[in-house]
Amino acid sequence: MMGWTHFNKSVTAVPETAWDVAYDSEFEKSVFNDKNHTLKLKLRIHFRQINPNQLTAPMARVIAQTQGMTVPADGRNVGVYPDADDAAKFIKEWNTAEWLNFINGVKAQASLWNGKFWLIPPDDFSYFDIETANWTNKSGKTITRMNVKCEFELEVVPYAPYAHRAIDVVNLISPNFRSHDRLYSTDDTTNSNYTRQGTGGTVSTTQPTIAHEIGHALGLPHIGVTRGRSQCQLAMVWGKGMPQNAIPALWRGGSNADVCYGTFSATGDINNIMGFGNNFDTENASPWLDRMFLHMNVGQQEYIRILSSMSKWQISLTPALPMTMVFPGS
Ligand SMILES: [Zn+2]
């Protein structure tokens, strides 16, 4: 079997800080000519229920009711909690059925990242090849060049210390809660709809919010950052030095500004999973491509050569089957 020694099967990562991006991965080398290698990224998340503070609950309940919100009739607590924009929103105590419903919704959205991309190595990368002898001519051979299927697995773990990240979750009563990558709400398991102005006119999108947040957990920034869009770059410059209320709303928030999600940009930016949409594109495969090189176990000289041709790897959004080359021999 050629090439096994050049790979690390498992790569594990432990977050260095609470805000670090970390995940494990496993590279599985195929032994069959008709099956690709697989690279699976494995993310362990611990979800923490945020429940209303008990002292303020009776008062919060009355306030929520006077604002016309529906509070639980079974006496469960109600409270307020700040969202990503620091706006106080009403939340209620979790019950078991709601929690299970949320976790199932998270798993369904996480699975959207599984089997979306195939990595195709450049011609001068032979480590994936499987070589078999040609039986009709002993000096001949058949070489099968494998591609890499990108897989993803989310594991929901009960303890924070074992997780790659811990995320707080609120059980919402208020509408329009804005989540961020460490704070989710019950609304996030249903798709959000957006309408934004693009270069070709208005674009309407629908987005699975948790799938977008998992993109961040894998280290992906917003699509305008990845693609270096000019409006987003402007927002990022303004985000560094200027008081945010002096900036027009759509450019506010640095790399989290609306323009970095694709507003005023092409349709393909707005409807990307790291924009406002649900489309996956080649740039979204970078966590797998980057990680592939950590699985290479070769000498330093060779490692530099492989890394320098990283840009020659292709990403396919449809299954890329292994390619077989027959060398007849003499
Ligand atoms: Zn985001």
Side-chain angles (χ1 to χ4, degrees):
M1 202 76 50
M2 182 185 158
W4 273 104
T5 53
H6 300 296
F7 293 99
N8 303 314
K9 187 172 173 359
S10 299
V11 173
T12 56
V14 176
E16 285 174 21
T17 65
W19 298 90
D20 204 14
V21 168
Y23 46 85
D24 298 344
S25 54
E26 249 167 50
F27 181 69
E28 202 72 55
K29 208 161 177 287
S30 170
V31 290
F32 303 108
N33 286 357
D34 59 348
K35 195 172 170 289
N36 276 317
H37 302 320
T38 56
L39 177 61
K40 182 187 278 185
L41 304 189
K42 298 167 89 171
L43 181 65
R44 286 191 305 274
I45 301 184
H46 170 65
F47 292 104
R48 198 160 36 206
Q49 290 183 5
I50 296 292
N51 282 306
N53 182 315
Q54 313 234 335
L55 286 175
T56 63
M59 195 180 288
R61 186 180 185 85
V62 172
I63 297 169
Q65 270 170 331
T66 57
Q67 291 192 5
M69 293 179 202
T70 312
V71 297
D74 57 8
R76 274 185 286 153
N77 282 332
V78 171
V80 288
Y81 202 78
D83 73 357
D85 294 329
D86 233 359
K89 303 287 178 169
F90 281 98
I91 62 167
K92 60 186 172 186
E93 211 172 342
W94 285 96
N95 71 23
T96 308
E98 288 162 342
W99 183 249
L100 287 177
N101 194 38
F102 172 78
I103 296 295
N104 286 334
V106 166
K107 286 178 177 169
Q109 288 199 17
S111 71
L112 295 173
W113 285 96
N114 187 36
K116 276 285 186 296
F117 317 107
W118 282 260
L119 310 179
I120 305 171
D123 289 346
D124 60 0
F125 185 94
S126 59
Y127 292 99
F128 289 164
D129 294 359
I130 291 182
E131 190 176 321
T132 42
N134 182 333
W135 296 106
T136 55
N137 181 333
K138 278 180 183 161
S139 63
K141 62 185 177 183
T142 298
I143 293 177
T144 304
R145 176 153 294 184
M146 302 302 188
N147 300 311
V148 181
K149 184 185 182 197
C150 300
E151 296 186 342
F152 177 71
E153 184 183 296
L154 172 74
E155 197 187 340
V156 177
V157 294
Y159 306 110
Y162 181 60
H164 290 118
R165 61 173 53 198
I167 294 168
D168 295 336
V169 195
V170 295
N171 192 5
L172 267 194
I173 300 176
S174 295
N176 304 321
F177 187 91
R178 181 139 180 242
S179 300
H180 58 73
D181 71 342
R182 303 297 168 137
L183 174 65
Y184 294 1
S185 85
T186 29
D187 277 1
D188 297 338
T189 52
T190 45
N191 288 349
S192 297
N193 297 310
Y194 300 95
T195 300
R196 289 295 187 275
Q197 190 60 41
T199 46
T202 303
V203 182
S204 293
T205 63
T206 179
Q207 181 166 74
T209 306
I210 286 167
H212 172 99
E213 297 301 344
I214 282 175
H216 286 313
L218 295 177
L220 290 169
H222 290 132
I223 195 70
V225 178
T226 302
R227 292 178 176 167
R229 297 305 188 221
S230 54
Q231 298 302 322
C232 174
Q233 286 181 323
L234 183 59
M236 287 165 73
V237 170
W238 281 353
K240 286 201 172 80
M242 278 175 68
Q244 292 299 294
N245 54 11
I247 300 170
L250 297 176
W251 285 265
R252 218 173 275 163
S255 62
N256 289 319
D258 232 71
V259 289
C260 289
Y261 282 75
T263 298
F264 302 138
S265 188
T267 302
D269 291 354
I270 302 174
N271 69 18
N272 187 268
I273 188 70
M274 296 318 290
F276 285 110
N278 57 2
N279 270 30
F280 290 83
D281 217 332
T282 53
E283 291 96 329
N284 304 127
S286 64
W288 283 267
L289 184 57
D290 291 350
R291 184 52 73 97
M292 187 62 237
F293 295 94
L294 285 186
H295 282 270
M296 294 301 301
N297 183 12
V298 294
Q300 184 177 296
Q301 205 81 350
E302 179 61 1
Y303 199 66
I304 291 167
R305 184 189 76 83
I306 291 171
L307 277 181
S308 67
S309 62
M310 192 170 173
S311 63
K312 289 195 284 180
W313 286 64
Q314 289 174 24
I315 313 289
S316 176
L317 299 168
T318 52
L321 297 173
M323 192 173 77
T324 299
M325 296 166 281
V326 179
F327 298 86
S330 51

